[in-house]
Amino acid sequence: MKALVYLGPEKLAFGDADYPIHKNGDVIIKVNSVGICGSDMHAYLGHDERRPAPLILGHEVAGTVVGGDKDGQRVTINPLVTCGNCPACTSGRDNLCPDRQIISMPPREGGFAEFVAIPASNIVHVPDDFQLEKASLAEPIACGWHAARLAQRAVIKDLSEVRALVIGGGAIGVGVALSLSCFGVSDVTILEPNVGRRQYLLQTTQIPVIDPDDLDDKNQIDLVIDAVGYAQTREVASRAVNPGGVIMHIGLGAAEGGLDIRRMTLQEITFIGTYTYTAADFISTSQAMFQGKLGSLDWIETRPLSEGAKAFADIRQGAVPASKIVLKP
Ligand SMILES: [Zn+2]
Ligand SMILES: [Zn+2]
């Protein structure tokens, strides 16, 4: 089969690769659409020791089942594979399973390919009238859905009265904003420094998007979501959140710096780390998408998988206004 293979820092090659190994309980998916994630970029730059070359990256996949009793079914896939038996899995926090695997990390190859293997229990059926390009957004949006669900438990006010600020207008940030709206938060603003992306989001979503320089009302936000995760963005979050407020942290940019722990202590600010989504979150997100509750999902750009290397380079240069590039094998 053809695949886009990661060969080392900033090196991707489109060429022949082995057909995926079919483990017990797996199904093979013929990939229709696969999104480029921030974590793929991280690996591409050589910053992720968990993803050593050579490797097929990509975990945001929609496609059709090949063979078996579901042959031809259109699906989106939950790429997180968990054990199902440990305390985390049995208490509904399966995203924290110590044995979790994700496709695109050994031993599982990823979805920048014609075919990918995934346990049958990880596939979610996509209705006939819903585009597979958009169905591949279930994974990044589920991260936002999960964060919105955890935030809901931590904020003191009724969600309809909450002022929320999302830092970062990539797919994770947009997914959080759409999820919060779906949960009943009416006042959601995205902070995005890239002017091209700001304009793009104003045209393709209904969400207010502003330049970080225009954020004048400090200490007045009930809920700040950092969907970037660098010292600089955590600093913004620490400043923007109001006394008694909540900071949700999704971004995996850099490990340290930026939080004003003294202010957080004196003002009783809650900090919540959030990682991926549970299997239940993934299904809820997919259903909300299919029912149109997360908007028209027009903030994606599609390109051929064969031109994937250029797409990575363009994202690296900040030259992509769309919040998500979806590659098509
Ligand atoms: Zn992702
Ligand atoms: Zn487990």
Side-chain angles (χ1 to χ4, degrees):
M1 67 169 183
K2 293 287 183 208
L4 183 70
V5 184
Y6 166 63
L7 296 173
E10 297 188 52
K11 255 194 242 153
L12 287 167
F14 183 73
D16 292 313
D18 291 338
Y19 194 76
I21 299 161
H22 207 143
K23 296 197 182 77
N24 216 358
D26 282 0
V27 287
I28 296 290
I29 306 298
K30 184 175 195 309
V31 178
N32 174 285
S33 298
V34 49
I36 301 178
C37 180
S39 59
D40 294 317
M41 281 308 293
H42 202 59
Y44 162 77
L45 295 173
H47 297 162
D48 189 349
E49 71 285 352
R50 301 168 308 167
R51 289 179 166 100
L55 183 67
I56 302 174
L57 301 169
H59 58 268
E60 304 176 357
V61 179
T64 48
V65 177
V66 178
D69 55 357
K70 294 200 165 88
D71 184 47
Q73 190 175 106
R74 302 165 82 245
V75 296
T76 183
I77 72 177
N78 175 352
L80 263 196
V81 181
T82 56
C83 82
N85 301 314
C86 72
C89 284
T90 54
S91 64
R93 301 196 71 174
D94 41 287
N95 57 325
L96 304 180
C97 174
D99 294 325
R100 72 189 174 210
Q101 298 178 343
I102 186 164
I103 64 167
S104 78
M105 210 183 273
R108 291 185 174 273
E109 297 279 355
F112 291 139
E114 283 181 279
F115 300 95
V116 67
I118 189 79
S121 52
N122 283 49
I123 60 176
V124 176
H125 173 70
V126 176
D128 286 344
D129 58 355
F130 196 87
Q131 290 173 35
L132 287 174
E133 287 95 63
K134 293 181 179 178
S136 73
L137 291 172
E139 199 275 343
I141 299 178
C143 296
W145 183 280
H146 179 68
R149 189 167 64 74
L150 295 189
Q152 195 175 17
R153 300 199 305 218
V155 290
I156 301 154
K157 288 183 188 171
D158 193 79
L159 282 185
S160 61
E161 289 161 21
V162 162
R163 280 192 78 188
L165 179 73
V166 178
I167 303 173
I172 297 291
V174 175
V176 178
L178 294 172
S179 299
L180 286 170
S181 302
C182 185
F183 280 47
V185 180
S186 53
D187 189 346
V188 184
T189 303
I190 293 180
L191 219 54
E192 169 58 54
N194 182 314
V195 61
R197 176 157 297 165
R198 269 205 310 278
Q199 282 163 358
Y200 183 87
L201 286 174
L202 288 169
Q203 284 160 13
T204 55
T205 73
Q206 317 276 5
I207 312 162
V209 186
I210 62 168
D211 187 316
D213 291 341
D214 295 336
L215 182 70
D216 45 9
D217 43 2
K218 310 268 195 286
N219 304 357
Q220 286 182 40
I221 312 287
D222 304 302
L223 171 62
V224 184
I225 298 95
D226 185 345
V228 183
Y230 283 98
Q232 203 188 350
T233 54
R234 283 189 288 265
E235 204 177 294
V236 172
S238 288
R239 253 195 341 257
V241 70
N242 68 10
V246 178
I247 298 173
M248 302 290 307
H249 195 265
I250 312 187
L252 286 168
E256 285 174 36
L259 283 182
D260 182 346
I261 303 288
R262 184 174 175 81
R263 174 161 194 265
M264 289 169 66
T265 304
L266 291 172
Q267 302 297 346
E268 297 197 346
I269 289 155
T270 305
F271 178 92
I272 304 177
T274 143
Y275 174 72
T276 65
Y277 36 80
T278 64
D281 288 323
F282 192 92
I283 292 167
S284 302
T285 306
S286 303
Q287 300 309 338
M289 279 172 51
F290 303 153
Q291 290 161 11
K293 292 180 180 170
L294 295 171
S296 59
L297 307 174
D298 288 321
W299 36 273
I300 59 175
E301 181 194 333
T302 56
R303 299 192 189 187
L305 180 65
S306 56
E307 292 167 22
K310 174 151 193 321
F312 272 78
D314 287 351
I315 294 173
R316 164 100 221 253
Q317 282 168 12
V320 178
S323 296
K324 177 66 68 186
I325 289 186
V326 173
L327 299 176
K328 310 275 291 181

